[in-house]
Amino acid sequence: MAEWGAVLLACGFILFAAVAMILLHTLRRVLLRTEDVLGKAGQEISQLASESKELLVQASATLSLLQSRVEEVEPFCESLRLAGASLTNTLQRADSITKHVAESAMERLERAHRENELRLAEAFRWLDAGLSVWHSFKRQSQPSADDHA
């Protein structure tokens, strides 16, 4: 029986070794696949890193270009702002001058109107007096002209 035990033990050991070999072989294939996947992932990460680096370089160049353009346009914008402020100031002054001119013209017009009213009133009084004298003279001269006819 000891022989059968040794045979069983040897068969068990061989079976255990075969299962261990199959497990190790399966584990090796899994590790090889994992290594392959990790190698591909590493290559893709390297490629992505290089593309990201290129993108960052291009973005940096674009931002530098934009910054230089902004710096070039900034004096123009500042001059436009100053021109706008100057134009606003000029328009305010022109508006003030126009207001003063209009007020002065209205004052002169009103003064001329008052002076003309006084002169016209005096002229109309003289005209009225002259017409009254002429009308009186006409009335007086008509009867004498009727007497001669």
Side-chain angles (χ1 to χ4, degrees), residues 23-136:
L23 282 175
L24 285 175
H25 181 67
T26 305
L27 183 62
R28 182 176 177 261
R29 283 182 27 211
V30 168
L31 287 176
L32 286 175
R33 284 185 188 161
T34 305
E35 183 182 10
D36 186 43
V37 168
L38 288 176
K40 288 179 183 177
Q43 289 174 351
E44 288 177 1
I45 288 173
S46 296
Q47 184 180 1
L48 183 61
S50 66
E51 288 175 1
S52 297
K53 184 178 178 182
E54 289 176 21
L55 180 65
L56 288 174
V57 167
Q58 289 175 354
S60 177
T62 302
L63 288 175
S64 296
L65 182 64
L66 284 174
Q67 184 176 3
S68 67
R69 294 293 188 239
V70 166
E71 289 172 356
E72 289 173 2
V73 171
E74 190 175 357
F76 178 69
C77 291
E78 180 64 21
S79 67
L80 283 178
R81 186 190 66 78
L82 291 174
S86 175
L87 184 61
T88 301
N89 190 16
T90 302
L91 289 175
Q92 287 174 345
R93 286 183 179 172
D95 187 41
S96 175
I97 290 170
T98 303
K99 183 179 176 183
H100 287 296
V101 166
E103 288 174 357
S104 175
M106 286 303 293
E107 288 175 5
R108 288 182 181 185
L109 187 62
E110 288 173 1
R111 189 175 16 181
H113 180 67
R114 285 191 303 268
E115 289 174 1
N116 285 341
E117 276 184 337
L118 294 175
R119 289 181 188 152
L120 286 175
E122 185 176 335
F124 278 122
R125 274 185 258 141
W126 279 103
L127 182 63
D128 186 45
L131 285 174
S132 296
V133 168
W134 183 75
H135 188 57
S136 298

Side-chain angles (χ1 to χ4, degrees), residues 1-11:
M1 211 37 186
E3 294 166 0
W4 282 109
V7 169
L8 280 176
L9 186 62
C11 282

